[in-house]
């Protein structure tokens, strides 16, 4: 047996954990959100456990416990740091506004147009009901380039 084979056989467990840590670190580096950094930390601790001669079962337990602790202890901080605020766009200003149905809104046939804020929008019904042309509607949400509407209830004066 040559020296490389002897080294690999004597240090198989630490090398495997090191490979796991490196793969997790690479995955973390190529993702936008933090998804596996905690497991990378757990794998590093498992490397040290393996180097100290801990049995495989204990190495796995250390990996799981350290990963869970790292996740629990850093969750609030990471959530705060990665909490991206949604920036409203000009299109968002139509939510809550009223408009008029130009073309029958039928979610099943995927048809419908409404004029809201002076603009012609593709429209869907909020609850799936068919809405006839000329009906006053209120925009409940925006989904892509479609307004999600519901008929406006006229208030008696």
């Amino acid at each position: 047996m040559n020296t490389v084979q002897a080294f690999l056989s004597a240090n198989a467990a630490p090398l495997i954990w090191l490979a796991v840590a490196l793969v997790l670190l690479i995955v973390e580096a190529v993702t936008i959100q933090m998804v596996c950094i905690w497991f990378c930390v757990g794998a590093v601790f498992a490397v040290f456990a393996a180097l100290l001669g801990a049995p495989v079962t204990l190495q796995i337990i250390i990996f799981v416990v350290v990963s869970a602790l790292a996740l629990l202890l850093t969750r609030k901080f990471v959530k705060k740091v990665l909490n991206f605020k949604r920036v409203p766009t000009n299109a968002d200003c139509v939510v809550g506004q009223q408009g008029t149905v130009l073309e029958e809104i039928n979610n099943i046939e995927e048809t419908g147009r409404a004029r809201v804020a002076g603009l012609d929008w593709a429209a869907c019904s909020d609850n799936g009901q068919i809405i006839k042309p000329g009906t006053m509607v209120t925009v409940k949400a925006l989904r892509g380039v479609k307004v999600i509407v519901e008929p406006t209830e006229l208030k008696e004066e």
Side-chain angles (χ1 to χ4, degrees):
M1 194 184 266
N2 65 29
T3 56
V4 173
Q5 288 175 329
F7 174 79
L8 290 177
S9 101
N11 296 301
L15 291 174
I16 291 170
W17 283 114
L18 187 59
V20 168
L22 288 174
V23 167
L24 291 169
L25 189 61
I26 291 168
V27 169
E28 186 65 45
V30 297
T31 58
I32 295 172
Q33 297 285 327
M34 295 184 79
V35 292
C36 60
I37 191 70
W38 305 279
F39 303 108
C40 182
V41 171
V44 169
F45 274 79
V47 167
F48 290 119
L51 286 172
L52 294 173
V56 175
T57 308
L58 182 59
Q59 294 171 30
I60 293 170
I61 291 170
I62 289 172
F63 169 74
V64 170
V65 170
V66 170
S67 298
L69 283 174
L71 178 61
L72 290 173
L73 294 174
T74 61
R75 185 171 174 232
K76 271 189 179 178
F77 171 74
V78 170
K79 199 173 184 182
K80 193 181 296 183
V81 169
L82 293 181
N83 187 12
F84 297 108
K85 302 267 189 270
R86 185 178 183 275
V87 177
T89 64
N90 290 341
D92 290 322
C93 70
V94 299
V95 175
Q97 291 197 20
Q98 293 184 343
T100 307
V101 175
L102 301 173
E103 175 188 319
E104 181 178 87
I105 298 173
N106 185 327
N107 292 1
I108 295 171
E109 294 180 10
E110 297 181 359
T111 61
R113 300 210 66 81
R115 182 166 303 279
V116 181
L119 297 172
D120 186 358
W121 291 85
C124 289
S125 171
D126 184 38
N127 61 5
Q129 75 184 72
I130 294 174
I131 306 173
K132 300 288 182 197
T135 304
M136 291 294 294
V137 291
T138 302
V139 178
K140 302 307 283 180
L142 235 120
R143 190 175 305 139
V145 294
K146 288 187 177 185
V147 289
I148 311 303
V149 299
E150 70 178 8
T152 302
E153 294 182 20
L154 298 175
K155 296 178 182 170
E156 294 182 27
E157 297 180 39

